[in-house]
Amino acid sequence: MTGAEVKQIFEPVVQEVVTLVRGQIAATNKSVKAVLLVGGFGQNAYLRETIRASIDPSIEVMQPPNGWTAVVRGALMKGLSVMEPTTARVKVASRSARKHYGTERMT
């Protein structure tokens, strides 16, 4: 399969993600400083660059290391914090947009 063929397969999905991200940014009342890409597809460089080119340049597009395991690690952290509250290191402080979570670091 050529690169052009692969791009043709993924382009509709990438454009749908871009549309959803732009919609979430527009729907929030707060200033958006960053878009955080997690999950398997969130680690794709083409997706990152397409989003970066499609939104305000002042908004950073980030892919954390090991972002593909974010959902599993988040579920594990939540489960551990319920079982032992002293292990909780991250607390959700607010919800800014649909499917976007603000966090507050506990010190």
Side-chain angles (χ1 to χ4, degrees):
M1 203 177 258
T2 68
E5 291 170 327
V6 173
K7 182 178 178 182
Q8 184 179 5
I9 292 168
F10 282 99
E11 191 62 26
V13 177
V14 169
Q15 289 308 313
E16 181 64 22
V17 172
V18 168
T19 300
L20 291 169
V21 168
R22 291 179 76 177
Q24 289 178 354
I25 291 169
T28 186
N29 300 349
K30 298 178 181 181
S31 172
V32 175
K33 297 177 183 167
V35 172
L36 187 63
L37 302 177
V38 296
F41 193 43
Q43 299 306 290
N44 183 280
Y46 178 69
L47 175 65
R48 180 191 66 229
E49 294 308 317
T50 304
I51 291 173
R52 188 173 281 154
S54 301
I55 61 175
D56 185 322
S58 69
I59 300 174
E60 187 175 1
V61 180
M62 301 168 60
Q63 290 173 309
N66 299 319
W68 58 277
T69 62
V71 174
V72 172
R73 287 183 293 130
L76 178 62
M77 289 172 59
K78 173 66 174 164
L80 288 173
S81 71
V82 168
M83 298 298 291
E84 183 58 49
T86 59
T87 64
R89 293 186 182 151
V90 177
K91 175 182 140 191
V92 175
S94 67
R95 185 173 177 161
S96 300
R98 189 173 156 255
K99 296 183 182 178
H100 169 82
Y101 297 93
T103 58
E104 178 181 332
R105 192 173 114 203
M106 304 294 284
T107 56

